[in-house]
Amino acid sequence: QQATIEGRVIRLRYRAPNQETERLVHPLGLVAKRSVWYLVSDTDAGMRTFRLDRIRSVTITDEPVRRPPGFNLEERWTQILAEIEDRRFGACASGRADPNLLDALRYVFGTRLTVGDRDATGWFAIELRGWSDPLLANELAGFADHVEVLAPEPVRRHLAHLGATLAETYGAPAAGPGASVAAAPGRSG
């Protein structure tokens, strides 16, 4: 904190998940995400963010911090958070959603849902992010007639496969009360 306020370069020993490194760092600001604090810095390798709880030692130097022209901590932190989300959720699907189900989609997907404009039918353009195409399709399957996935094709194929599997398993009308039920294909009864 002192080096950041005074605008002085620090020598930082840092423990990353797989290694420990030491480097000169130009501290530009401290930010918190929930209860975890981060140091946003410029380094010889470019802009970096360091978790404070992984810093093993700090030595403040007399060298002044090199501040990138036009640097804005709030804007940079917003970019960092977006980059983290992009790395965490590799799959993305776009489509449209029934406006009556937007609250349910927000509840299930949280910040992984982006809602766009309303189309001529009254439905909203949406973008959803998930861990993978199959998992994203699994999450969307429950919204069958309230969400239409327009892209990408792999998510659409996974949804079609899920639909075919559900139709095969549950498509035949249930027999009346007291009728015996045959086991679904591939399942023991």
Side-chain angles (χ1 to χ4, degrees), residues 37-50:
W37 281 87
Y38 296 87
L39 174 65
V40 178
S41 303
D42 196 9
T43 70
D44 289 339
M47 296 293 287
R48 296 289 185 263
T49 305
F50 301 96

Side-chain angles (χ1 to χ4, degrees), residues 4 36 59 68 115 118 122 139 143 155 159 172 181-182 185:
T4 303
V36 180
T59 305
V115 178
R118 193 171 248 194
E139 288 181 286
F143 295 100
V155 174
L159 283 167
V181 178

Side-chain angles (χ1 to χ4, degrees), residues 91-113:
C92 184
S94 60
R96 50 190 224 108
D98 180 337
N100 297 317
L101 263 286
L102 282 181
D103 286 340
L105 286 168
R106 285 184 179 105
Y107 179 79
V108 171
F109 288 93
T111 59
R112 297 183 297 137
L113 168 69

Side-chain angles (χ1 to χ4, degrees), residues 49-130:
T49 305
F50 301 96
R51 280 180 60 137
L52 293 190
D53 61 350
R54 291 184 181 167
I55 294 174
R56 295 293 161 238
S57 68
V58 173
T59 305
I60 300 174
T61 72
D62 291 329
E63 185 181 341
V65 164
R66 171 185 68 227
R67 205 166 180 79
F71 176 79
N72 179 296
L73 181 60
E74 185 177 349
E75 289 173 8
R76 180 63 188 142
W77 184 240
T78 300
Q79 289 173 331
I80 291 166
L81 292 176
E83 290 165 7
I84 290 168
E85 288 292 307
D86 286 346
R87 281 194 302 266
R88 195 167 129 197
F89 301 113
C92 184
S94 60
R96 50 190 224 108
D98 180 337
N100 297 317
L101 263 286
L102 282 181
D103 286 340
L105 286 168
R106 285 184 179 105
Y107 179 79
V108 171
F109 288 93
T111 59
R112 297 183 297 137
L113 168 69
T114 303
V115 178
D117 295 330
R118 193 171 248 194
D119 66 18
T121 68
W123 282 36
F124 284 90
I126 59 168
E127 183 175 282
L128 298 151
R129 289 176 292 145

Side-chain angles (χ1 to χ4, degrees), residues 91-94 128 130 132-141 147-162:
C92 184
S94 60
L128 298 151
S132 69
D133 290 342
L135 289 175
L136 189 52
N138 287 345
E139 288 181 286
L140 285 166
V147 171
E148 180 184 4
V149 174
L150 302 173
E153 197 54 38
V155 174
R156 290 174 55 84
R157 276 195 310 272
H158 287 295
L159 283 167
H161 174 73
L162 288 170

